[in-house]
Amino acid sequence: MPAQHGPRRARIAFSDSAAKQLESLTSEADIHALDRALVVVSVDPEVGEPIPGSAAGPQLREYTDDVERVRILYWISALKTVVVVAYLEV
């Protein structure tokens, strides 16, 4: 019997500025909260709300988890396999 796999998750990548923000996190609670939000976005990249803007570049989206108090700005690759995080706020 073949193994059952869950839905395929998008890979998370960070812009340079988001990577610097990530490096500055020191609180274990903040890291855990961010990790939970990134899992949500990786499972369903379209969960965030589109941010109005120009059609010239990638469509930015915003995901906010009010319980964990995390906000992520990101865009999705053309094949929806990579989520690039541009900004995070914990």
Side-chain angles (χ1 to χ4, degrees), residues 2-84:
Q4 294 290 328
H5 297 283
R8 184 171 181 199
R9 292 163 79 173
R11 188 171 60 91
I12 300 288
F14 296 94
S15 69
D16 290 342
S17 61
K20 286 179 186 175
Q21 290 172 310
L22 186 60
E23 289 173 3
S24 71
L25 292 179
T26 57
S27 163
E28 197 68 35
D30 287 348
I31 293 169
H32 178 72
L34 177 60
D35 187 50
R36 289 175 50 98
L38 291 172
V39 167
V40 169
V41 171
S42 73
V43 170
D44 182 8
E46 295 190 19
V47 70
E49 296 293 321
I51 297 174
S54 143
Q59 172 70 56
L60 280 175
R61 301 182 75 84
E62 176 181 20
Y63 172 72
T64 303
D65 183 329
D66 293 326
V67 173
E68 297 285 355
R69 296 186 357 222
V70 174
R71 180 175 165 230
I72 302 172
L73 299 182
Y74 65 96
W75 68 87
I76 309 166
S77 68
L79 298 176
K80 297 185 181 182
T81 57
V82 178
V83 172
V84 179

